[in-house]
Amino acid sequence: MTTLDDYSTLEPTESDRNLIEVLGKLSSLGSDGGFLRFLAKGVEVKCALCLIRSSPNLQSLKIESSTSSKADMKTATQYLKAQQKHKIPLGRLKIVKISSIKGLEPEMEFVKLLLLKATALRKLECRSAYEAEEEARYNMLKQLVSFRRASPKAQIIFRDI
């Protein structure tokens, strides 16, 4: 499995400067903090989805959630809802793990988008944040199981911390 870390120590040569070539080979993408923080900001959410879109061989995605301001969340939510109408090639994505999820609207819209577009998805695992209230965790679970799925084999696993 090729990960982004595999390319971090390479010295770029003229032929290696093509980011699309590198992303085309990427099969696993992980982030231990900050990725969903991008989802709570208007501009960065576009960059995050561009990164995912530009990785056609992506099979595994690991994300840790974090929050931002309410104004940023509204912009991100609107953008993510609009993306549901567009073609996003996630045909090879099989495993998604999201930790520290609080059930905020941009987080849930991102999960909804993945479920709608990932036709090969086998497992979506969400771990609730420590600070998430019991009612919020319950509402999150209700939402997760109600989302439509492109893959009939997609299993949703909710881990309550």
Side-chain angles (χ1 to χ4, degrees), residues 64-101:
E64 183 176 340
S65 179
S66 61
T67 59
S68 190
S69 75
K70 289 186 181 193
D72 290 337
M73 284 193 264
K74 182 178 179 183
T75 303
T77 300
Q78 291 169 341
Y79 178 77
L80 289 164
K81 285 181 178 181
Q83 293 307 299
Q84 294 173 14
K85 300 172 188 163
H86 298 288
K87 183 176 180 180
I88 299 175
L90 296 177
R92 294 189 180 190
L93 187 61
K94 294 179 183 176
I95 298 169
V96 176
K97 293 182 179 184
I98 304 173
S99 60
S100 301
I101 192 167

Side-chain angles (χ1 to χ4, degrees), residues 3-129:
T3 67
L4 203 52
D5 291 335
D6 296 335
Y7 295 100
S8 64
T9 58
L10 296 177
E11 284 296 318
T13 65
E14 200 58 43
S15 62
D16 292 330
R17 294 190 194 280
N18 187 349
L19 180 61
I20 300 302
E21 182 181 324
V22 171
L23 292 174
K25 295 176 184 175
L26 194 65
S27 60
S28 179
L29 182 61
S31 171
D32 53 354
F35 186 85
L36 281 181
R37 178 178 3 196
F38 289 144
L39 294 182
K41 295 187 181 247
V43 175
E44 289 88 347
V45 69
K46 295 175 186 176
C47 295
L49 281 178
C50 182
L51 178 63
I52 293 169
R53 258 193 218 111
S54 299
S55 305
N57 293 319
L58 189 65
Q59 296 177 25
S60 173
L61 182 62
K62 182 179 175 184
I63 304 165
E64 183 176 340
S65 179
S66 61
T67 59
S68 190
S69 75
K70 289 186 181 193
D72 290 337
M73 284 193 264
K74 182 178 179 183
T75 303
T77 300
Q78 291 169 341
Y79 178 77
L80 289 164
K81 285 181 178 181
Q83 293 307 299
Q84 294 173 14
K85 300 172 188 163
H86 298 288
K87 183 176 180 180
I88 299 175
L90 296 177
R92 294 189 180 190
L93 187 61
K94 294 179 183 176
I95 298 169
V96 176
K97 293 182 179 184
I98 304 173
S99 60
S100 301
I101 192 167
K102 297 172 189 74
L104 300 172
E105 197 171 8
E107 295 171 330
M108 300 309 286
E109 287 299 325
F110 179 71
V111 170
K112 186 178 187 178
L113 183 64
L114 290 177
L115 286 170
L116 282 171
K117 303 299 181 179
T119 57
L121 191 66
R122 297 292 178 261
K123 180 169 91 169
L124 170 72
E125 183 177 325
C126 294
R127 287 186 183 270
S128 67

